[in-house]
């Protein structure tokens, strides 16, 4: 693929916190339309990788290139919601996604308010606009935070364990929403997850991390080449299927 | 003399007007800056800095300099320093603030004990005294509260974004470090302009109380800051008037009023389940 087709290039990066090396020589490209699942055990560097791509950390070696003005949305692992009583309405939270391209003093106008309400409607939370974000259910909060990134009109969305706080049903609906954004809106998605079931049914590419990038490819390939990874163990059904077909 | 006559008489004194103007300025700045500090979990920074202000005032008194003029750079510098300390997280932020507060208090007290002759003066700096407010303090207070208000209005959306979620603010190109430094500087300035009316030891209460009370009401960000300013204005103006009539120190009267409002709001909310 040609260079201008890439959204992001991660060029051989190494990232350290004080003495701990969290990522070692990671290298890959992100292409438009990718739905990437990043998997790995706790502490394997998934969040660090997300933050490195977002330019939130100092990278010790290598670099991350955003090709011609790639815009990145982000759903953090702990999305400012450790404080359930934080006094921010859903509208206020979503509005902060619009600030990137606004000229100083970044005040909102009528058109901005319309964009925000359109997005709230799309995510089915417009009736919650004036509610405090902390008073929402986990699933509603995730949608509000997703809306905050979507008003940026991003090329790629990086999500750090977005379905962690969700029950089975909202998890399914949330993943469905992501999949439709990926297919219909051509939104590139990179999702960190421990939820292997969703990896299989949604992602077209797996990054398996353990400080190093141990695997980069399709789910099928992942099962063949990494049979001893903890992710396969937690997913016995996969083996059954393989047993039947082979 | 009737209460009403007393009330009218109060305003015939120049000092009462000066106290009210300074009080209103401090009330607005401290409630606004305080809202951000409390929500960013930096409430203790105000507390630590008020102790630094005490040490600075003591130094100023010992050297017979204008103590407020003296304390401004010192408090602002400490404010930026503590913020950096908090960020590097080598030391626990709250522990670092505790250390700084204790050190400043010890330094101030030692200086005061060697100086001797300014006990009365010191008392007014500790707990606030409206009689000591001069014309220059009035200009100072108006000027700086103007800067605080302008800053918050111009950077409102950016301040909101970074207070709610600093990482997200950074990826939308908000200059989080620069805004944090500005916030630290204005916190220092707010504390110094509060010294005359509230006193060094109690000014931190005016940064924390109104925001904490406002948080009890189920409002959004803008609403919470607005409420916080309203509560601050009410308690400061009422406190100043009460302190004049009852001959109490102004700072302690204002803080007691804040405590009263807090308990009333907290109890009605939690005991009687009143929804505001
Ligand atoms: N701010 C930090 N300071 C020091 N070390 C850190 C910091 N953040 C992460 N680390 C370390 O870096 C390593 C990778 O952490 P990271 O948060 O990226 O893992 P993760 O894969 O996201 O884990 P989890 O599944 O638990 O979210 C861990 O060893 C962690 O202890
Ligand atoms: Mg993580």
């Amino acid at each position: 693929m040609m260079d201008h087709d890439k959204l992001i290039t991660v060029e051989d990066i190494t990232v350290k916190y004080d003495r701990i090396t969290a990522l070692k020589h990671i290298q890959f490209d992100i292409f438009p339309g990718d739905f990437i699942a990043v998997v790995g055990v706790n502490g394997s560097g998934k969040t660090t990788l997300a933050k490195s791509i977002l330019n939130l950390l100092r990278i010790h070696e290598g670099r991350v290139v955003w090709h011609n003005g790639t815009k990145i949305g982000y759903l953090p692992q702990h999305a400012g919601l450790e404080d359930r009583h934080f006094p921010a309405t859903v509208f206020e939270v979503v509005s902060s996604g619009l600030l990137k391209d606004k000229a100083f003093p970044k005040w909102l106008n009528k058109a901005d308010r319309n964009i925000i309400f359109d997005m709230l409607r799309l995510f089915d939370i417009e009736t919650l606009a004036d509610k405090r974000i902390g008073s929402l259910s986990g699933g509603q909060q995730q949608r509000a935070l997703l809306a905050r990134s979507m008003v940026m009109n991003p090329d790629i969305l990086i999500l750090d364990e977005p379905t962690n706080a969700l029950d089975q049903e909202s998890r399914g609906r949330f993943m469905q929403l992501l999949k439709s954004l990926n297919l219909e809106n051509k939104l590139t998605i990179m999702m960190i997850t421990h939820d292997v079931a969703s990896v299989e049914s949604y992602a077209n590419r797996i990054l398996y991390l353990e400080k190093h990038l141990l695997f980069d490819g399709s789910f099928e390939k992942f099962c063949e080449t990494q049979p001893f990874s903890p992710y396969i163990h937690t997913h016995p059904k996969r083996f059954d299927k393989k047993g039947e077909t082979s | 003399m009737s209460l009403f006559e007393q009330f009218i008489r109060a305003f015939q004194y120049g000092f009462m007007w000066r106290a009210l103007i300074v009080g209103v300025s401090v009330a607005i700045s401290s409630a606004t800056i305080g809202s951000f500090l409390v929500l960013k979990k930096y409430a203790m920074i105000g507390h630590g800095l008020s102790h630094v202000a005490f040490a600075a005032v003591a130094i100023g008194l010992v050297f017979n300099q204008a103590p407020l003029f003296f304390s401004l750079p010192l408090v602002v510098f400490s404010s930026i320093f503590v913020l950096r300390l908090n960020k590097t997280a080598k030391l626990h932020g709250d522990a670092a603030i505790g250390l700084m507060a204790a050190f400043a208090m010890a330094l101030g007290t030692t200086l005061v004990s060697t100086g001797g002759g300014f006990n009365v003066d010191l008392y007014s700096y500790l707990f606030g005294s409206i009689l000591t407010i001069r014309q220059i303090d009035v200009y100072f207070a108006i000027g700086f509260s103007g800067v605080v208000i302008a800053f918050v209005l111009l950077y409102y959306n950016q301040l909101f974004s970074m207070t709610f979620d600093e990482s997200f603010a950074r990826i939308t190109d908000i200059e989080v470090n620069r805004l944090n430094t500005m916030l630290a500087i204005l916190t220092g300035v707010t504390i110094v302009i509060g010294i005359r009316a509230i006193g060094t030891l109690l000014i931190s209460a005016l940064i924390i109380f109104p925001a904490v009370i406002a948080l009890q009401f189920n409002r959004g960000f803008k609403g919470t800051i607005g409420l916080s300013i309203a509560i601050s204005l009410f308690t400061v103006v009422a406190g100043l008037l009460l302190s004049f009539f009852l001959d109490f120190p102004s700072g302690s009267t204002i803080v007691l009023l804040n405590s009263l409002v807090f308990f009333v709001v907290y109890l009605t909310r939690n005991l009687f389940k009143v929804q505001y």
Side-chain angles (χ1 to χ4, degrees), chain A residues 18 54 56 72-74 76 79-81 83 85-89 92-93 96-97 99-100 104-108 132-133 145 148-149 152, chain B residues 39 41 90 153-158 160-161 163-168 170-174 214-224:
Chain A
D18 286 328
L54 288 158
L56 294 171
I72 313 184
Y74 180 40
L81 286 173
D83 183 1
H85 300 287
F86 194 98
T89 63
E92 287 173 324
V93 169
S96 60
L99 301 185
K100 188 178 168 80
F104 183 79
K106 297 182 183 282
W107 288 337
L108 302 182
R132 270 196 187 180
I133 181 108
L145 293 173
R148 173 180 68 168
S149 276
M152 278 172 77
Chain B
L39 290 171
K41 308 278 185 284
K90 287 263 194 297
L153 284 178
L154 288 175
Y155 288 92
Y156 175 79
N157 280 330
Q158 301 180 61
F160 165 75
S161 178
T163 305
F164 179 68
D165 183 347
E166 208 169 284
S167 298
F168 189 83
R170 280 182 204 275
I171 71 164
T172 54
D173 297 340
I174 290 171
L215 279 172
Q216 304 288 317
F217 296 79
N218 220 348
R219 297 294 143 83
F221 201 75
K222 213 171 267 179
T224 302

Side-chain angles (χ1 to χ4, degrees), chain B residues 144-156:
Chain B
F144 276 113
S145 58
V147 171
V148 170
I149 293 165
F151 171 71
V152 172
L153 284 178
L154 288 175
Y155 288 92
Y156 175 79

Side-chain angles (χ1 to χ4, degrees), chain A residues 17-18 20-23 40-49 51 57 77-78 160-161 192 194 209 211:
Chain A
Y17 296 103
D18 286 328
I20 304 167
T21 303
L23 293 176
V41 296
N42 293 131
S44 56
K46 304 181 297 297
T47 299
T48 305
L49 177 62
K51 288 183 176 170
L57 292 174
Q77 187 168 8
H78 308 287
D160 197 343
E161 301 190 23
I192 295 168
H194 291 292
L209 217 59
K211 251 183 221 187

Side-chain angles (χ1 to χ4, degrees), chain B residues 119-136:
Chain B
N119 286 329
V120 179
D121 238 13
L122 184 76
Y123 186 78
S124 74
Y125 281 113
L126 282 175
F127 303 107
S129 161
I130 52 179
L131 289 169
T132 59
I133 297 173
R134 297 157 308 162
Q135 200 60 38
I136 181 86

Side-chain angles (χ1 to χ4, degrees), chain A residues 64-82:
Chain A
V64 174
V65 184
W66 302 8
H67 295 286
N68 42 44
T70 300
K71 269 203 272 182
I72 313 184
Y74 180 40
L75 199 62
Q77 187 168 8
H78 308 287
L81 286 173
E82 307 97 279

